Amino acid sequence: MTASQTAAVAPHEVTREAGRRRTFAVISHPDAGKSTLTEALALHAKVLTSAGAVHGKGGRRGVTSDWLEMEQARGISITSAALQFGYGDTVINLLDTPGHSDFSEDTYRVLSAVDSAVMLLDAAKGLEPQTLKLFDVCRHRGIPVITFINKWDRPGRDALDLCDELSERINLQAMPLTWPVGEAGHFRGALDVRTGGMVRYQRTAGGATVAPETHLDAEQASTEEGAGWEQAREESELLISSGGEFDIERFSDATATPVLFGAAVLNFGVRQLLDLLVELAPRPNRRLDAGGAPRELDSPFSAFVFKVQTGMDRSHRDQIAFARVCSGRFERGMTVTNATTGRPFATKYVQQVFGQQRSTLDVAYPGDVIGLVNATALRVGDTLYLDRPPVRFPGLPSFAPSHFAVVRPRDLGRAKQFRKGVDQLASEGVVQVLRSDRRGDATPVFAVVGPMQFDVATHRLDVEFGVPVTLDRLQYSVVRRLVEPAHRSLIDSSGRGEVLTRTDGAELALFTDEVALGVITRQHPELGVEHLVAGTD
Ligand code: G4P
């Protein structure tokens, strides 16, 4: 594809198409109902004939993202994929985030590719640790958050109490848009704050179809629901009058969150959530490049890679790089430039990945996620662009690891495959790979945020590269970046730590614990090390 062909794209086409996109992720603690909500959203958008076809747990088959055996064995979703569906005139891009906190780095990358997030809470539990961590990432990145309080069909906490928890623990003002009629466990329907009426839900067999709704005005609701309705009215009014009045600007600047109540398993409240995404969630906007200059939506095509995934298709072990389109119209067949290497990249094989099915994708717009097949040359954080001038988006951060292990092939005869596998894992960001002259090139150190990443790495080396390995855990738990290379020997000779070089060239100083670091710093006040802050490394 040539530049002249792309010049034919009317700029307003790109802006219009971008305006139809809503690209978001669901953040939650495991078991809050993320898979169930994903199914329910897709069901409402009529992608699926009945809920249960996307994610599979408890014997249900077919999962968007559980393609590694290990994931299935553990019943968790480690990898990330994107789900696209139409809802009315809107195109919804729902990016999947790994559920386990050991993969928070992966989740962080996914969140770099969304425009908003849905924070899903279990009505009985409220804010849980993983939700808090993910919310922190959203806040750090200024991502607006919609809150969906799930499982209201079961006994749970008090609605006001849950909203108070948001302001008290994370300083996020709750702005109710619906309020449950009937306390948790006796969910009848929801007061719609903006119309003042009630939406009554009706259960369907197994929650497999969209729940029929009846709309009542306030008078009817009061007559038919009595005390439950009055309580909903009083509670929502109390919250609204104490600072919870809906304000789009506070949502956009991520200081307040619209709150909805529902039960994903029964499809209650799911339509309201979709409507809210369409109405309020931010559309794709100009993205800042590495120099801080905005890239206009109607500039020529550009995208950045936020995820590289191998082995999604068992029959051909291939590698897919997922990239979020930031500007322009993408057309399959374009030859784009990889800003990191300056090399051309042909986009002949581009797919949309939905469950276990893939379909060839021909055109994409800002906000969409494209899956570039056999993209062995692409790395997480790479920018792709068409035409001049070049553009480069900020790289994606790596987290401060806190677990370290030396990795060795069991069979020394497979050193070549071992190296290939290790390089592959490093390029995908599955683990960080550190080396030093002292340890030798052949015995790298894996550094991870959560130990389950070790399991994924060793499993993949074994299954994909035919290299069973041994891991020897190192007794380090604290890491700093060495800013003064000349100080390397101070640490190496201290007996309390050592310096290794990461594949991206960063020099990381590892210490057994804070005490060891404190001792070295006191002995050598001149020591040049700095924190690797999660998310800003
Ligand atoms: P996750 O992806 O966030 O880990 O959660 P998932 O959707 O798998 O849901 C976790 C459990 O919570 C599932 O039950 C699911 O059915 C249940 N659940 C989700 N939403 C609701 C809801 O609105 N109300 C109620 N009562 N339950 C809900 P499970 O027993 O672990 O699995 P399953 O056998 O039911 O699939």
Side-chain angles (χ1 to χ4, degrees):
M1 180 133 328
T2 64
S4 59
Q5 278 173 282
T6 52
V9 180
H12 63 258
E13 175 194 327
V14 173
T15 322
R16 190 186 62 233
E17 287 296 331
R20 294 171 57 211
R21 263 73 181 162
R22 301 290 181 278
T23 303
F24 71 100
V26 177
I27 58 169
S28 62
H29 194 81
D31 272 343
K34 182 157 66 84
S35 314
T36 311
L37 180 68
T38 304
E39 285 166 12
L41 288 167
L43 172 72
H44 273 260
K46 307 219 174 36
V47 176
L48 307 171
T49 44
S50 69
V54 180
H55 281 258
K57 274 196 180 176
R60 282 181 276 153
R61 196 51 221 136
V63 182
T64 38
S65 51
D66 292 9
W67 48 79
L68 284 178
E69 288 157 38
M70 211 182 87
E71 284 182 315
Q72 283 165 355
R74 288 173 186 254
I76 55 164
S77 173
I78 296 168
T79 44
S80 306
L83 197 63
Q84 184 181 67
F85 47 83
Y87 180 64
D89 193 38
T90 305
V91 178
I92 307 272
N93 290 309
L94 171 49
L95 275 55
D96 191 17
T97 51
H100 199 283
S101 61
D102 280 11
F103 302 100
S104 49
E105 196 169 27
D106 222 6
T107 302
Y108 190 96
R109 295 180 191 137
V110 173
L111 290 176
S112 71
V114 302
D115 300 313
S116 61
V118 170
M119 179 161 74
L120 181 69
L121 304 181
D122 182 324
K125 298 184 175 152
L127 287 170
E128 295 179 84
Q130 176 69 353
T131 329
L132 286 172
K133 273 196 193 173
L134 294 168
F135 174 75
D136 272 349
V137 175
C138 291
R139 169 158 284 167
H140 182 74
R141 301 193 66 92
I143 299 172
V145 172
I146 294 171
T147 302
F148 187 89
I149 300 184
N150 192 31
K151 305 195 187 181
W152 202 258
D153 59 308
R154 284 211 309 222
R157 286 168 53 183
D158 176 65
L160 274 175
D161 182 38
L162 286 161
C163 291
D164 284 348
E165 190 183 15
L166 296 180
S167 36
E168 280 161 18
R169 291 186 65 192
I170 55 176
N171 197 20
L172 187 68
Q173 172 68 49
M175 303 184 292
L177 289 185
T178 68
W179 200 263
V181 178
E183 74 257 28
H186 301 278
F187 196 18
R188 308 260 312 150
L191 183 156
D192 181 332
V193 168
R194 289 185 295 174
T195 64
M198 175 178 166
V199 184
R200 188 188 281 153
Y201 302 122
Q202 196 179 314
R203 286 180 185 243
T204 60
T209 51
V210 170
E213 295 178 354
T214 320
H215 294 255
L216 285 72
D217 64 25
E219 212 173 306
Q220 283 170 305
S222 172
T223 314
E224 295 180 24
E225 298 296 330
W229 169 258
E230 295 310 328
Q231 189 184 346
R233 232 174 30 83
E234 280 165 24
E235 289 181 349
S236 56
E237 279 169 13
L238 183 69
L239 184 54
I240 289 166
S241 63
S242 55
E245 193 170 356
F246 182 71
D247 175 348
I248 182 97
E249 280 180 21
R250 291 166 73 203
F251 166 55
S252 306
D253 67 20
T255 56
T257 179
V259 175
L260 302 173
F261 291 81
V265 80
L266 301 172
N267 296 307
F268 289 4
V270 175
R271 181 189 61 80
Q272 282 84 353
L273 176 60
L274 271 172
D275 287 346
L276 191 66
L277 283 160
V278 171
E279 191 188 340
L280 297 178
R283 312 106 236 242
N285 203 348
R286 318 183 296 177
R287 203 169 188 97
L288 299 183
D289 68 17
R295 172 90 172 172
E296 299 297 333
L297 289 175
D298 57 6
S299 306
F301 165 77
S302 66
F304 73 92
V305 177
F306 64 92
K307 172 85 197 156
V308 175
Q309 179 70 56
T310 303
M312 291 173 67
D313 184 342
R314 269 161 219 280
S315 44
H316 353 57
R317 284 237 165 257
D318 53 5
Q319 177 169 317
I320 298 196
F322 291 101
R324 153 145 181 162
V325 180
C326 299
S327 68
R329 172 179 150 120
F330 172 81
E331 290 174 38
R332 188 163 64 88
M334 277 175 168
T335 297
V336 297
T337 306
N338 179 352
T340 313
T341 58
R343 295 229 177 92
F345 182 84
T347 61
K348 192 165 164 202
Y349 301 104
V350 186
Q351 297 185 329
Q352 209 170 14
V353 182
F354 175 70
Q356 291 185 328
Q357 302 159 12
R358 297 177 183 192
S359 52
T360 300
L361 180 138
D362 290 314
V363 176
Y365 295 95
D368 289 343
V369 171
I370 53 179
L372 300 153
V373 184
N374 281 333
T376 43
L378 297 182
R379 304 276 175 274
V380 166
D382 282 352
T383 298
L384 301 172
Y385 65 88
L386 182 79
D387 298 347
R388 302 206 69 79
V391 59
R392 190 167 182 162
F393 295 109
L396 295 179
S398 36
F399 276 27
S402 45
H403 304 271
F404 306 86
V406 179
V407 54
R408 291 185 183 83
R410 284 183 198 272
D411 174 1
L412 291 175
R414 297 192 61 77
K416 211 167 132 199
Q417 292 84 343
F418 174 67
R419 175 168 259 286
K420 196 168 160 222
V422 168
D423 288 349
Q424 176 66 32
L425 297 179
S427 76
E428 283 182 40
V430 174
V431 288
Q432 297 179 32
V433 176
L434 320 179
R435 291 190 171 89
S436 68
D437 290 344
R438 211 163 73 151
R439 287 190 178 272
D441 206 37
T443 47
V445 170
F446 282 176
V448 299
V449 177
M452 223 189 263
Q453 287 176 266
F454 284 142
D455 298 352
V456 174
T458 51
H459 178 84
R460 289 194 46 190
L461 284 172
D462 188 359
V463 172
E464 284 171 38
F465 297 90
V467 192
V469 295
T470 54
L471 280 185
D472 292 318
R473 295 289 284 268
L474 296 171
Q475 295 309 310
Y476 297 129
S477 62
V478 172
V479 62
R480 294 286 184 276
R481 183 198 298 276
L482 185 69
V483 281
E484 183 45 72
H487 292 165
R488 185 178 194 126
S489 58
L490 285 182
I491 298 167
D492 281 347
S493 61
S494 69
R496 298 176 192 277
E498 69 175 282
V499 178
L500 292 119
T501 309
R502 199 165 57 186
T503 34
D504 63 355
E507 306 227 61
L508 304 189
L510 317 187
F511 303 95
T512 39
D513 48 30
E514 294 285 349
V515 177
L517 172 61
V519 171
I520 298 182
T521 326
R522 270 194 303 281
Q523 283 169 350
H524 303 283
E526 76 282 14
L527 191 68
V529 292
E530 64 182 22
H531 275 274
L532 283 88
V533 182
T536 56
D537 172 18

